[in-house]
DNA sequence: ACATACTTTAGAATAATTATAAACTAGTTA
DNA sequence: TAACTAGTTTATAATTATTCTAAAGTATGT
């Protein structure tokens, strides 16, 4: 009944240490999201479609939403927005920057951008983070 | 029947020069948006509610959406996104930056931020613009 | 194995936005 | 000025992304 390997173990620990029961669905989703070399950008619908396509037993929409929110709250995913009223998530949780190229998103490592001048936070506030979006267009 | 003054005239010309017929609704919305000292950030729903509150003859939801889109296409409004699946619009169309403070948005003039290092655009692409979001939190 | 709290699920509900197509109006032309 | 036509407005339906609900299922401690 139980298939267990060291990769799953990692995710089980990861989930458990965030107070999330390592259910089958959560482990499957975690494997899909985090077992990759490159960072991954996705919407919940995209995630659902690409995972369920190859599964006989589908995971429900609500579970994809629940799990993505849980992983975000646990700090394993970062949310960002484009101009299309959809939430995007990024498996790269380190503070970093983005190229936006007509709906395509490319990460820019934090150290690729440095500032010469930055404004102070308003009174009573402090800066949580600074993120840059570089919008691209075709060379003509 | 027709109330005309120099302020309306400005908007009528503005609309007409963008190929938009200066209908009553469009002129009213333009006045509301652009007759202000400070830049204005809003969602379409917020705009609709605040304008219709004081009107006996309401402007329809569809017209607010149509007009905001038209003004955006004509280059009089800029769209941006927060993390809540709603489109925000900004009457400040000059390239500039933002503080985001729990759903509140504050403009930062372009010259308040300068870069020491910026990455090159990927091959075949060029940089359209660079915008910074500084996320704020309370001081403790 | 039992109990219980946490999860998953299908489906309903909500929110923001877009589409539709009928009624209306601005600008043009006769 | 009357009539025409293309562009607009409007109420309403449709769509999309997301959240809610409550019943059925499952992980974990004892």
């Amino acid at each position: 009944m139980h298939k267990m390997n060291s990769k799953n173990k990692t995710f089980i620990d990861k989930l458990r240490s965030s107070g999330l029961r390592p259910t089958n669905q959560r482990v499957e989703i975690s494997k899909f999201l985090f077992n990759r070399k490159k960072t991954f950008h996705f919407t919940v619908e995209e995630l659902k479609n690409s995972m369920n396509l190859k599964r006989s037993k589908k995971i429900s929409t609500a579970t994809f939403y629940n799990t993505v929110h849980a992983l975000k709250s646990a700090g394993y995913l970062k949310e960002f927005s484009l101009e299309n009223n959809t939430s995007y998530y990024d498996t790269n949780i380190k503070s970093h920057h983005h190229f936006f190229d007509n709906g395509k998103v490319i990460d820019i490592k934090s150290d690729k951008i440095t500032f010469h001048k930055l404004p102070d936070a308003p009174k009573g506030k402090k800066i949580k983070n600074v993120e840059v979006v570089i919008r691209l267009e075709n060379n003509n």
Side-chain angles (χ1 to χ4, degrees), chain A:
Chain A
M1 211 43 139
H2 257 259
K3 181 171 50 178
M4 173 64 70
N5 59 41
S6 58
K7 253 170 195 157
N8 280 8
K9 182 107 181 354
T10 309
F11 294 119
I12 290 176
D13 292 346
K14 214 169 164 174
L15 288 165
R16 202 172 262 134
S17 72
S18 308
L20 299 169
R21 281 194 187 168
T23 61
N24 261 303
Q25 291 90 329
R26 286 175 176 165
V27 173
E28 294 286 322
I29 293 172
S30 297
K31 277 199 298 186
F32 186 89
L33 290 177
F34 303 117
N35 258 346
R36 11 184 119 228
K37 290 280 169 4
K38 303 172 65 176
T39 60
F40 184 45
H41 302 110
F42 63 95
T43 68
V44 174
E45 284 297 313
E46 286 167 1
L47 174 64
K48 183 186 89 173
N49 293 336
S50 47
M51 281 195 70
N52 274 347
L53 203 64
K54 35 184 134 166
R55 298 174 62 85
S56 47
K57 181 161 188 348
K58 313 298 186 193
I59 296 175
S60 75
T61 303
T63 295
F64 281 107
Y65 277 97
N66 290 342
T67 302
V68 166
H69 288 161
L71 292 174
K72 185 200 164 192
S73 296
Y76 298 124
L77 290 173
K78 218 153 104 77
E79 185 178 356
F80 64 97
S81 287
L82 268 56
E83 263 100 84
N84 63 353
N85 319 315
T86 314
S87 286
Y88 285 78
Y89 296 89
D90 189 334
T91 55
N92 180 3
I93 56 167
K94 294 195 291 280
S95 179
H96 65 283
H97 311 293
H98 289 117
F99 286 121
F100 282 0
D101 181 11
N102 304 299
K104 209 160 123 296
V105 181
I106 305 168
D107 279 4
I108 302 171
K109 283 215 210 78
S110 197
D111 63 7
K112 295 289 180 194
I113 297 181
T114 57
F115 296 92
H116 181 250
K117 201 164 83 178
L118 266 184
D120 294 325
K123 245 183 280 304
K125 303 287 177 180
K126 66 181 179 206
I127 291 176
K128 181 158 52 177
N129 69 47
V130 178
E131 288 187 354
V132 179
V133 168
I134 302 181
R135 246 165 260 272
L136 299 175
E137 61 192 352
N138 289 331
N139 230 337
N140 79 341

